[in-house]
Amino acid sequence: MKQARKIEVVDYDPTWPVQFNALKSRLEPILQEICVRIEHIGSTSVPNLAAKPVIDVLLEVTSLTELDKKTLCLTALGLKAKGEKGIPGRRYFQVGGNERTHHVHSFKTGSEQLLFHRAFCAYLRAHPPIACEYAQVKRNAALNCHHDSIQYMALKNDFIQTQMPLAIAWFKSNT
């Protein structure tokens, strides 16, 4: 029987950027010809924000076809390829099975998804009261989702949908 994944939101951990950089340094040599940027995103990239203790990585590449050719090399690093996983134009990888340590979200240069991820994180970093509100939304979602990741995401959705247009407008005016 498959063991359910535990969903918990914990206080910010100052080792999260270190964990990101460790994976980034392992990815760079493999992806150097196609990699535009490797960024730490998600809640673990926002100082002092409570989060699920899973490092989100945003990988911008010049070609998804070329990235697909690197799948065996990435698998050797411990990344499990999950395809698009519900987002067209994405290549998604996980590290760690039920005890996940990293999620890698890969998009081709020009994807609107790159803007969404970058804008939301930058907006939370620049607006601590909104980040604090988001932390509470996430804590409540974790308490009420019964360790169901789809339910966890659904419980956060209203907040994200309300804040995302504000985040994008703020990001575009500040970059």
Side-chain angles (χ1 to χ4, degrees):
M1 182 167 77
K2 184 178 177 184
Q3 181 183 359
R5 196 171 131 233
K6 184 177 179 183
I7 295 178
E8 66 178 339
V9 173
V10 301
D11 290 340
Y12 179 80
D13 183 338
T15 68
W16 288 338
V18 174
Q19 293 173 45
F20 161 74
N21 283 320
L23 180 60
K24 179 181 178 183
S25 68
R26 294 170 61 216
L27 292 172
E28 286 174 326
I30 293 169
L31 302 173
Q32 61 187 349
E33 322 81 55
I34 62 167
C35 183
V36 176
R37 283 168 62 179
I38 302 174
E39 300 169 70
H40 187 185
I41 60 162
S43 295
T44 61
S45 74
V46 180
N48 302 312
L49 179 58
K52 291 188 312 178
V54 178
I55 309 303
D56 283 296
V57 177
L58 183 63
L59 177 60
E60 180 180 350
V61 296
T62 57
S63 167
L64 292 176
T65 302
E66 292 302 313
L67 177 62
D68 290 341
K69 293 176 183 177
K70 305 278 186 184
T71 299
L72 283 176
C73 294
L74 296 172
T75 300
L77 286 183
L79 282 75
K80 183 175 182 181
K82 304 294 276 185
E84 290 186 328
K85 187 92 175 180
I87 300 178
R90 171 172 77 164
R91 296 299 182 273
Y92 176 67
F93 301 86
Q94 296 172 343
V95 179
N98 279 342
E99 297 295 323
R100 286 191 200 128
T101 61
H102 296 76
H103 294 156
V104 178
H105 310 267
S106 310
F107 298 96
K108 182 180 176 186
T109 298
S111 170
E112 193 173 56
Q113 290 293 326
L114 294 167
L115 171 63
F116 295 160
H117 288 291
R118 289 173 178 146
F120 196 64
C121 294
Y123 182 70
L124 292 175
R125 282 186 211 105
H127 298 88
I130 295 169
C132 186
E133 185 181 344
Y134 186 43
Q136 193 56 51
V137 166
K138 292 180 340 143
R139 287 185 190 280
N140 289 339
L143 288 173
N144 293 299
C145 74
H146 309 290
H147 302 291
D148 178 331
S149 61
I150 293 171
Q151 182 67 15
Y152 174 75
M153 294 299 293
L155 291 168
K156 298 185 317 174
N157 191 57
D158 285 348
F159 180 89
I160 293 169
Q161 294 305 313
T162 299
Q163 295 299 321
M164 186 61 77
L166 301 171
I168 291 170
W170 175 87
F171 186 78
K172 285 182 174 180
S173 70
N174 286 282
T175 54

